[in-house]
Amino acid sequence: MQTTTTAVSGNGTPLPHRSPPSGWPAVVSVMLGIFVVVTTEILPIGLLTSIGSGFTVSDGTAGLMMTMPGFLAAVSAPPVTAATARFDRRLMLCLFMLLLALANFLAAVAPGYWLVLVSRVMVGITIGGFWSIGAGLAERLVPPASVGRATAVVFSAVPLGSVLGVPAGTLVGDLVGWRTAFAVMGVLTVAVLAMLFLCVPPLPPVRATRLGVLGGMLRGGGTRFALLLTFLVVLAHFGAYTYVTPFLERVTRVSGGQITVLLLLYGAAGILGTFLGGARVARHPRAVLGLAGALIAAATLLLPVLGRGTAGAVTLLLVWGLAYGAVPVASQTWFSKAAPHAPEAASVLFTASFQATISLGALTGGLLLDRTSPSTVMLLGGCTAALMVVAVTVAPGRSDHGEALTPGPLLGRRSTLGPRSSHCSPWCRRTDRKLLEA
C-alpha cells in the first residue's frame, strides 16, 4: 500500500525536498488564521439568543450553530486533506480562509435560518481543512530549535479566540446587531487571507496524505494512545467548561459583569499555559499532558466545594485556564511523535479527534446539566480528567526524550515516540516500512 509521497512537480516528477524560507511573520499569519477560525466557530455562544429570536427559533435549535461545525470538522478533515494533498499548502490555507470569509458574509445576510446553518457547514469544512494543515506547519517555517515556541504561538490562537474574539464579537452584536458581528468577522478573515498570501512562503506538499495513511496510523498503538488521551482530556474540559457560566451564576452567585471578568482571567491564564507548555512539551510530552490533566481534574473536582466563594472560584479558574492552555499543543505534539513519518496525517487525526470530542463534551455536559446540577457537571469533568492522568501514568515506557512508549495491554501494540527499538515486533517494522514508502 502506498501511503506517502515526496513533493512532486506538475508532471509527477519527484522534487528534492527543500525547506521554504523560514520566518516568524509566517507563523503569526497561521496563528491569526486559527484565531479567526476559532472565533468564528464559537462566536454564536454570545449571540445565540439574539439569533434565535431573530429567526423565531428556539434556543435549542439555535444551538445547532455550535454542535454542527465540530462534528463536520471531524468528518471532513480526513477526506478534505487527502483530496487536496498534492496542492501547495499555502494555497490551501488561503482557499480555506476564503471559504471562511464567505461563510461569515453569508451568515450576515442570511434571510432564513437554514442559510445560517449552511454557513456553519462551510465553517466546519474550514476547521477540518485549515487546522489539519496549519497545526503542523511550525516545523516547516522556523529552524528546529524554535519549533516548540512556534507551535506555542500557533496554538495561542485558541485561548486568544476565547479571550479577545468572542467578547469583542458579542459586544459588537449587542451594540449594532449579530449580523454586523458576522460581517466584521468576514472583513477580518479577508485581512488574514491577505496576510497568509503575503507572509507564508510556497509550501509544496512533502508527503501526500492519503486515507490509507490514516487507516495505517489508527492501527498503531501510539496513535490510538494519543486518541485516547485527547478524547479523555478534551471531553473532561468541554463537558465542564461549556457550562461554567451556569455554575458561576447558580453556585458562586456572581453577577454577569463579574463572570465576564472571571472568564477573561481564565483566558489570560490559558495563554500563559500555552507558552509554558509549548516551551517544554517537545522534551517532556508525558509530563506536560499529565500535569495539565491533573490540574484540570483538581480544579473541576474542587469547584463544587471551594467555588462557592468568589476567591476560591477565581483561584481554581486560573489553575484550570493555565492547565488547559497546554492541552492543544501537548496533544498535537503527542500525535506528531506517534507518527514522525507522517506529520500532516497526524495533524488530521488530531483535528478530527479534537473537534469531535469538543462537540461530544458539550452535548454530554448539556444533557447532564438538564437532569442534575452544575456541580455534578464539574465533578464528572474532574473524574474524566483523572482517568486521563491514570492512563498517562500507568503506560510503561519513557516518552519524554523520544524513546519508544508501550501503552501496555490497554491498546495492545507498541507506539512510536521516536526511533523503533531493536525489540520491535515484525508488525511494527512492516508498518514503518509502509509509512516510509514513496
Side-chain angles (χ1 to χ4, degrees), residues 357-393:
T357 312
I358 287 175
S359 295
L360 181 61
L363 179 62
T364 303
L367 292 174
L368 186 64
L369 181 64
D370 288 343
R371 289 162 175 78
T372 57
S373 67
S375 292
T376 304
V377 172
M378 296 299 145
L379 291 174
L380 180 63
C383 291
T384 307
L387 285 177
M388 190 278 284
V389 177
V390 171
V392 171
T393 303

Side-chain angles (χ1 to χ4, degrees), residues 241 243-255 258-263 303 307-310 313-314 317 374 378:
Y241 182 70
Y243 305 99
V244 70
T245 296
F247 178 89
L248 294 174
E249 289 175 343
R250 302 180 198 176
V251 181
T252 311
R253 298 188 181 280
V254 295
S255 65
Q258 289 175 310
I259 290 175
T260 301
V261 173
L262 292 180
L263 295 183
L303 264 174
R308 296 181 180 278
T310 304
V314 169
L317 283 174
M378 296 299 145

Side-chain angles (χ1 to χ4, degrees), residues 30 38 67 74 90 98 131 150 157 163 208 299 301 319 358 386 389 394-395:
V30 175
V38 169
T67 57
R90 179 183 68 167
L98 177 60
W131 267 82
V163 175
L301 288 172
V319 172
I358 287 175
V389 177
V394 301

